[in-house]
């Protein structure tokens, strides 16, 4: 499971043995150079290999690569969404 918030993108895994959801990682956009940025929205690529996110204080689209085995994300960069 994934969430978007003022803290960034959270990645959660389901622990079937205990019936709980555990936070696996949190990608706070400030760690990638975005000052006071909150994640507004995110979407998965059609093949599920990438996550594209928008942030509150930029017109750029932030790109993460998704590990297909673990579901964890790796920051890959950004592209401008300005016209």
């Amino acid at each position: 499971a994934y969430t978007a918030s003022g803290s960034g993108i959270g990645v959660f895994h389901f622990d079937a043995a205990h019936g709980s959801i555990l936070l696996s990682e949190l990608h706070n956009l400030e760690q990638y150079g975005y000052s006071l940025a909150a994640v507004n929205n995110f979407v998965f690529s059609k093949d599920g290999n990438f996550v594209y996110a928008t942030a509150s204080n930029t017109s750029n689209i932030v790109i993460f690569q998704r590990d297909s085995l673990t579901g964890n994300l790796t920051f890959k960069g950004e592209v401008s969404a300005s016209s």
Side-chain angles (χ1 to χ4, degrees):
Y2 299 82
T3 61
S5 69
S7 298
I9 296 179
V11 179
F12 297 82
H13 293 133
F14 179 67
D15 180 350
H18 297 97
S20 60
I21 295 177
L22 305 171
L23 178 65
S24 174
E25 58 182 13
L26 178 63
H27 291 272
N28 185 318
L29 294 185
E30 289 182 9
Q31 73 193 69
Y32 306 115
Y34 294 94
S35 178
L36 302 175
V39 174
N40 293 330
N41 297 292
F42 65 89
V43 65
F44 293 89
S45 63
K46 186 183 271 190
D47 61 10
N49 291 327
F50 293 91
V51 173
Y52 306 105
T54 59
S56 60
N57 67 346
T58 180
S59 61
N60 293 348
I61 297 171
V62 183
I63 303 167
F64 295 90
Q65 186 169 18
R66 183 180 164 273
D67 184 299
S68 61
L69 294 177
T70 66
N72 289 338
L73 304 176
T74 302
F75 176 76
K76 298 307 271 183
E78 62 186 305
V79 295
S80 175
S82 298
S83 53

